[in-house]
Short mmCIF file of all heavy atoms in Angstrom, two decimals:
data_model
loop_
_atom_site.label_atom_id
_atom_site.label_comp_id
_atom_site.label_asym_id
_atom_site.label_seq_id
_atom_site.Cartn_x
_atom_site.Cartn_y
_atom_site.Cartn_z
N ILE A 1 106.62 107.11 122.11
CA ILE A 1 107.34 106.83 120.86
C ILE A 1 106.45 106.03 119.91
O ILE A 1 106.39 106.31 118.71
CB ILE A 1 108.64 106.07 121.15
CG1 ILE A 1 109.63 106.98 121.88
CG2 ILE A 1 109.26 105.53 119.86
CD1 ILE A 1 110.84 106.24 122.42
N PHE A 2 105.76 105.04 120.44
CA PHE A 2 104.86 104.23 119.62
C PHE A 2 103.78 105.08 118.97
O PHE A 2 103.52 104.97 117.76
CB PHE A 2 104.22 103.13 120.46
CG PHE A 2 103.09 102.41 119.77
CD1 PHE A 2 103.35 101.47 118.78
CD2 PHE A 2 101.77 102.67 120.10
CE1 PHE A 2 102.31 100.82 118.13
CE2 PHE A 2 100.73 102.02 119.46
CZ PHE A 2 101.00 101.09 118.47
N LEU A 3 103.15 105.95 119.76
CA LEU A 3 102.07 106.79 119.23
C LEU A 3 102.59 107.73 118.14
O LEU A 3 101.94 107.93 117.11
CB LEU A 3 101.43 107.59 120.36
CG LEU A 3 100.72 106.75 121.44
CD1 LEU A 3 100.26 107.65 122.58
CD2 LEU A 3 99.56 105.96 120.86
N LYS A 4 103.77 108.28 118.35
CA LYS A 4 104.37 109.15 117.34
C LYS A 4 104.66 108.39 116.06
O LYS A 4 104.37 108.86 114.94
CB LYS A 4 105.66 109.76 117.89
CG LYS A 4 106.37 110.70 116.93
CD LYS A 4 107.65 111.26 117.54
CE LYS A 4 108.38 112.16 116.56
NZ LYS A 4 109.64 112.71 117.16
N ASN A 5 105.21 107.19 116.18
CA ASN A 5 105.53 106.39 115.00
C ASN A 5 104.29 105.80 114.34
O ASN A 5 104.33 105.40 113.17
CB ASN A 5 106.51 105.28 115.37
CG ASN A 5 107.94 105.77 115.42
OD1 ASN A 5 108.29 106.76 114.77
ND2 ASN A 5 108.79 105.10 116.18
N LEU A 6 103.20 105.75 115.08
CA LEU A 6 101.93 105.31 114.51
C LEU A 6 101.35 106.42 113.63
O LEU A 6 100.92 106.19 112.49
CB LEU A 6 100.96 104.95 115.63
CG LEU A 6 99.72 104.13 115.30
CD1 LEU A 6 100.10 102.81 114.66
CD2 LEU A 6 98.90 103.90 116.56
N LYS A 7 101.36 107.64 114.15
CA LYS A 7 100.78 108.77 113.42
C LYS A 7 101.51 109.05 112.11
O LYS A 7 100.89 109.45 111.12
CB LYS A 7 100.78 110.01 114.31
CG LYS A 7 99.86 109.91 115.52
CD LYS A 7 100.05 111.11 116.46
CE LYS A 7 99.19 110.95 117.71
NZ LYS A 7 99.45 112.07 118.67
N LYS A 8 102.83 108.85 112.10
CA LYS A 8 103.59 109.20 110.90
C LYS A 8 103.25 108.30 109.70
O LYS A 8 103.48 108.67 108.55
CB LYS A 8 105.09 109.14 111.18
CG LYS A 8 105.69 107.75 111.20
CD LYS A 8 107.19 107.79 111.46
CE LYS A 8 107.82 106.40 111.38
NZ LYS A 8 109.26 106.44 111.74
N ILE A 9 102.69 107.11 109.96
CA ILE A 9 102.35 106.19 108.87
C ILE A 9 101.28 106.80 107.97
O ILE A 9 101.21 106.51 106.78
CB ILE A 9 101.88 104.83 109.43
CG1 ILE A 9 102.93 104.25 110.40
CG2 ILE A 9 101.60 103.84 108.31
CD1 ILE A 9 104.30 104.09 109.80
N LYS A 10 100.45 107.67 108.54
CA LYS A 10 99.38 108.28 107.75
C LYS A 10 99.91 109.10 106.58
O LYS A 10 99.20 109.33 105.61
CB LYS A 10 98.51 109.16 108.65
CG LYS A 10 97.54 108.39 109.52
CD LYS A 10 96.49 109.32 110.10
CE LYS A 10 95.34 108.55 110.71
NZ LYS A 10 94.22 109.44 111.10
N ASP A 11 101.13 109.57 106.67
CA ASP A 11 101.71 110.41 105.62
C ASP A 11 102.51 109.62 104.59
O ASP A 11 103.15 110.20 103.73
CB ASP A 11 102.62 111.48 106.24
CG ASP A 11 101.87 112.41 107.19
OD1 ASP A 11 100.70 112.73 106.89
OD2 ASP A 11 102.45 112.81 108.22
N MET A 12 102.47 108.29 104.67
CA MET A 12 103.33 107.47 103.82
C MET A 12 102.64 106.93 102.57
O MET A 12 103.27 106.24 101.78
CB MET A 12 103.91 106.31 104.64
CG MET A 12 104.97 106.75 105.63
SD MET A 12 105.50 105.43 106.81
CE MET A 12 105.79 104.04 105.73
N ASN A 13 101.37 107.17 102.41
CA ASN A 13 100.63 106.66 101.24
C ASN A 13 100.72 105.13 101.15
O ASN A 13 101.03 104.56 100.09
CB ASN A 13 101.14 107.30 99.95
CG ASN A 13 100.19 107.09 98.77
OD1 ASN A 13 98.99 106.92 98.95
ND2 ASN A 13 100.73 107.08 97.57
N VAL A 14 100.44 104.49 102.27
CA VAL A 14 100.46 103.03 102.33
C VAL A 14 99.22 102.48 101.64
O VAL A 14 98.10 102.94 101.89
CB VAL A 14 100.52 102.56 103.80
CG1 VAL A 14 100.31 101.05 103.89
CG2 VAL A 14 101.84 102.96 104.43
N LYS A 15 99.42 101.46 100.81
CA LYS A 15 98.30 100.83 100.10
C LYS A 15 98.07 99.39 100.55
O LYS A 15 96.94 98.90 100.52
CB LYS A 15 98.57 100.88 98.60
CG LYS A 15 98.63 102.30 98.04
CD LYS A 15 98.97 102.29 96.56
CE LYS A 15 99.10 103.72 96.02
NZ LYS A 15 99.52 103.74 94.59
N THR A 16 99.13 98.70 100.94
CA THR A 16 99.02 97.31 101.38
C THR A 16 99.80 97.14 102.67
O THR A 16 100.99 97.45 102.72
CB THR A 16 99.59 96.34 100.32
OG1 THR A 16 98.90 96.54 99.09
CG2 THR A 16 99.42 94.90 100.77
N VAL A 17 99.13 96.68 103.73
CA VAL A 17 99.77 96.49 105.03
C VAL A 17 99.94 95.00 105.29
O VAL A 17 98.97 94.25 105.27
CB VAL A 17 98.93 97.11 106.17
CG1 VAL A 17 99.66 96.97 107.50
CG2 VAL A 17 98.62 98.56 105.89
N LEU A 18 101.16 94.58 105.52
CA LEU A 18 101.47 93.19 105.83
C LEU A 18 101.96 93.13 107.27
O LEU A 18 103.08 93.54 107.57
CB LEU A 18 102.52 92.65 104.86
CG LEU A 18 102.16 92.79 103.36
CD1 LEU A 18 103.28 92.22 102.49
CD2 LEU A 18 100.83 92.10 103.05
N CYS A 19 101.10 92.65 108.16
CA CYS A 19 101.38 92.68 109.60
C CYS A 19 101.70 91.29 110.12
O CYS A 19 101.41 90.27 109.48
CB CYS A 19 100.21 93.29 110.37
SG CYS A 19 98.60 92.60 109.94
N GLY A 20 102.26 91.24 111.32
CA GLY A 20 102.83 90.01 111.85
C GLY A 20 101.86 88.96 112.36
O GLY A 20 102.22 87.80 112.49
N HIS A 21 100.61 89.37 112.66
CA HIS A 21 99.65 88.42 113.23
C HIS A 21 98.24 88.77 112.76
O HIS A 21 97.96 89.91 112.38
CB HIS A 21 99.68 88.46 114.76
CG HIS A 21 101.01 88.16 115.36
ND1 HIS A 21 101.54 86.89 115.44
CD2 HIS A 21 101.95 89.00 115.89
CE1 HIS A 21 102.73 86.95 116.00
NE2 HIS A 21 103.00 88.21 116.29
N ARG A 22 97.38 87.79 112.87
CA ARG A 22 95.97 87.92 112.57
C ARG A 22 95.73 88.31 111.11
O ARG A 22 96.63 88.27 110.29
CB ARG A 22 95.30 88.91 113.54
CG ARG A 22 95.51 88.56 115.02
CD ARG A 22 94.82 87.25 115.41
NE ARG A 22 95.10 86.85 116.77
CZ ARG A 22 94.33 87.16 117.83
NH1 ARG A 22 93.26 87.91 117.66
NH2 ARG A 22 94.64 86.71 119.03
N ALA A 23 94.49 88.71 110.81
CA ALA A 23 94.14 89.08 109.45
C ALA A 23 94.86 90.37 109.06
O ALA A 23 95.21 91.19 109.91
CB ALA A 23 92.63 89.28 109.34
N LEU A 24 95.09 90.53 107.76
CA LEU A 24 95.76 91.73 107.29
C LEU A 24 94.83 92.94 107.46
O LEU A 24 93.61 92.81 107.51
CB LEU A 24 96.18 91.56 105.84
CG LEU A 24 97.14 90.40 105.56
CD1 LEU A 24 97.59 90.41 104.11
CD2 LEU A 24 98.36 90.46 106.49
N VAL A 25 95.42 94.11 107.52
CA VAL A 25 94.69 95.35 107.78
C VAL A 25 94.19 95.92 106.45
O VAL A 25 94.99 96.29 105.59
CB VAL A 25 95.60 96.38 108.49
CG1 VAL A 25 94.87 97.70 108.67
CG2 VAL A 25 96.06 95.83 109.84
N PRO A 26 92.85 96.04 106.26
CA PRO A 26 92.34 96.53 104.98
C PRO A 26 92.48 98.04 104.78
O PRO A 26 92.66 98.51 103.66
CB PRO A 26 90.86 96.10 105.00
CG PRO A 26 90.52 96.01 106.46
CD PRO A 26 91.78 95.57 107.16
N ASP A 27 92.37 98.81 105.86
CA ASP A 27 92.43 100.28 105.78
C ASP A 27 93.37 100.78 106.87
O ASP A 27 93.01 100.84 108.04
CB ASP A 27 91.03 100.88 105.95
CG ASP A 27 90.99 102.39 105.73
OD1 ASP A 27 91.96 103.07 106.09
OD2 ASP A 27 89.98 102.89 105.19
N VAL A 28 94.60 101.14 106.49
CA VAL A 28 95.61 101.45 107.48
C VAL A 28 95.26 102.70 108.28
O VAL A 28 95.45 102.74 109.51
CB VAL A 28 97.01 101.59 106.82
CG1 VAL A 28 97.06 102.78 105.87
CG2 VAL A 28 98.10 101.71 107.88
N ASN A 29 94.74 103.75 107.64
CA ASN A 29 94.43 104.98 108.37
C ASN A 29 93.29 104.78 109.35
O ASN A 29 93.31 105.32 110.47
CB ASN A 29 94.10 106.11 107.39
CG ASN A 29 95.33 106.61 106.66
OD1 ASN A 29 96.46 106.33 107.06
ND2 ASN A 29 95.14 107.35 105.58
N GLU A 30 92.31 103.99 108.96
CA GLU A 30 91.21 103.69 109.87
C GLU A 30 91.71 102.90 111.07
O GLU A 30 91.33 103.19 112.22
CB GLU A 30 90.13 102.89 109.14
CG GLU A 30 88.94 102.53 110.02
CD GLU A 30 87.89 101.71 109.29
OE1 GLU A 30 88.11 101.39 108.10
OE2 GLU A 30 86.86 101.38 109.90
N ARG A 31 92.59 101.95 110.83
CA ARG A 31 93.11 101.15 111.94
C ARG A 31 94.00 102.00 112.86
O ARG A 31 93.96 101.83 114.09
CB ARG A 31 93.91 99.96 111.39
CG ARG A 31 94.40 99.01 112.48
CD ARG A 31 93.26 98.50 113.33
NE ARG A 31 93.71 97.65 114.43
CZ ARG A 31 93.06 97.51 115.58
NH1 ARG A 31 91.91 98.17 115.78
NH2 ARG A 31 93.53 96.71 116.52
N ILE A 32 94.78 102.91 112.30
CA ILE A 32 95.59 103.80 113.12
C ILE A 32 94.70 104.63 114.04
O ILE A 32 94.98 104.79 115.23
CB ILE A 32 96.47 104.70 112.23
CG1 ILE A 32 97.60 103.88 111.60
CG2 ILE A 32 97.06 105.86 113.04
CD1 ILE A 32 98.39 104.62 110.54
N ASP A 33 93.61 105.16 113.50
CA ASP A 33 92.69 105.95 114.32
C ASP A 33 92.10 105.11 115.45
O ASP A 33 91.93 105.59 116.58
CB ASP A 33 91.56 106.52 113.46
CG ASP A 33 92.03 107.66 112.55
OD1 ASP A 33 93.08 108.26 112.86
OD2 ASP A 33 91.34 107.94 111.55
N GLU A 34 91.80 103.85 115.15
CA GLU A 34 91.25 102.96 116.18
C GLU A 34 92.27 102.72 117.29
O GLU A 34 91.93 102.72 118.49
CB GLU A 34 90.84 101.63 115.55
CG GLU A 34 89.63 101.72 114.64
CD GLU A 34 89.36 100.44 113.87
OE1 GLU A 34 90.22 99.53 113.91
OE2 GLU A 34 88.31 100.35 113.23
N LEU A 35 93.54 102.52 116.91
CA LEU A 35 94.58 102.28 117.91
C LEU A 35 94.85 103.52 118.74
O LEU A 35 95.04 103.43 119.97
CB LEU A 35 95.87 101.81 117.21
CG LEU A 35 95.81 100.40 116.62
CD1 LEU A 35 97.04 100.14 115.75
CD2 LEU A 35 95.71 99.34 117.72
N LEU A 36 94.85 104.68 118.12
CA LEU A 36 95.04 105.93 118.88
C LEU A 36 93.91 106.14 119.87
O LEU A 36 94.15 106.53 121.03
CB LEU A 36 95.14 107.11 117.91
CG LEU A 36 96.38 107.16 117.00
CD1 LEU A 36 96.23 108.27 115.98
CD2 LEU A 36 97.65 107.36 117.83
N ALA A 37 92.69 105.88 119.43
CA ALA A 37 91.53 106.03 120.32
C ALA A 37 91.60 105.03 121.47
O ALA A 37 91.26 105.36 122.62
CB ALA A 37 90.23 105.84 119.53
N HIS A 38 92.06 103.82 121.18
CA HIS A 38 92.22 102.79 122.23
C HIS A 38 93.15 103.28 123.33
O HIS A 38 92.85 103.16 124.52
CB HIS A 38 92.74 101.50 121.62
CG HIS A 38 93.34 100.55 122.62
ND1 HIS A 38 92.59 99.78 123.48
CD2 HIS A 38 94.65 100.27 122.91
CE1 HIS A 38 93.39 99.07 124.25
NE2 HIS A 38 94.63 99.34 123.92
N HIS A 39 94.29 103.83 122.93
CA HIS A 39 95.25 104.28 123.95
C HIS A 39 94.77 105.53 124.68
O HIS A 39 95.07 105.70 125.87
CB HIS A 39 96.63 104.49 123.31
CG HIS A 39 97.30 103.19 122.96
ND1 HIS A 39 97.82 102.35 123.92
CD2 HIS A 39 97.51 102.57 121.77
CE1 HIS A 39 98.33 101.27 123.34
NE2 HIS A 39 98.15 101.39 122.04
N ASP A 40 94.02 106.38 124.01
CA ASP A 40 93.42 107.53 124.71
C ASP A 40 92.48 107.03 125.80
O ASP A 40 92.48 107.55 126.93
CB ASP A 40 92.65 108.41 123.72
CG ASP A 40 93.56 109.28 122.88
OD1 ASP A 40 94.75 109.45 123.26
OD2 ASP A 40 93.09 109.81 121.85
N ARG A 41 91.66 106.04 125.48
CA ARG A 41 90.75 105.48 126.48
C ARG A 41 91.50 104.81 127.62
O ARG A 41 91.14 104.97 128.79
CB ARG A 41 89.79 104.47 125.82
CG ARG A 41 88.79 105.07 124.87
CD ARG A 41 87.71 104.06 124.49
NE ARG A 41 88.27 102.89 123.82
CZ ARG A 41 88.43 102.79 122.51
NH1 ARG A 41 88.09 103.79 121.71
NH2 ARG A 41 88.92 101.68 121.98
N ARG A 42 92.56 104.08 127.28
CA ARG A 42 93.33 103.38 128.31
C ARG A 42 94.00 104.39 129.25
O ARG A 42 94.01 104.21 130.48
CB ARG A 42 94.38 102.49 127.63
CG ARG A 42 95.35 101.75 128.54
CD ARG A 42 94.70 100.77 129.49
NE ARG A 42 93.80 99.84 128.86
CZ ARG A 42 94.17 98.72 128.23
NH1 ARG A 42 95.44 98.43 128.10
NH2 ARG A 42 93.27 97.91 127.71
#
């Protein structure tokens, strides 16, 4: 479910991401790809 809801964000034309912890995300699509790759490796 998480992976599905992660992929759908790419179609939302997000420009500013305000997340709950750490530094804000500068490029949402790039970060989504990194998270997807992380879970593929795991």
Side-chain angles (χ1 to χ4, degrees):
I1 291 170
F2 169 75
L3 296 174
K4 180 180 178 181
N5 279 335
L6 196 57
K7 293 173 184 176
K8 78 179 185 184
I9 306 304
K10 283 195 167 189
D11 299 324
M12 288 171 47
N13 195 27
V14 171
K15 297 177 183 176
T16 303
V17 184
L18 305 180
C19 49
H21 302 284
R22 305 294 175 93
L24 300 185
V25 176
D27 186 324
V28 65
N29 288 345
E30 180 181 2
R31 184 56 183 152
I32 288 171
D33 287 340
E34 290 172 351
L35 289 170
L36 293 172
H38 162 76
H39 287 288
D40 283 344
R41 291 192 299 270
R42 176 62 51 82

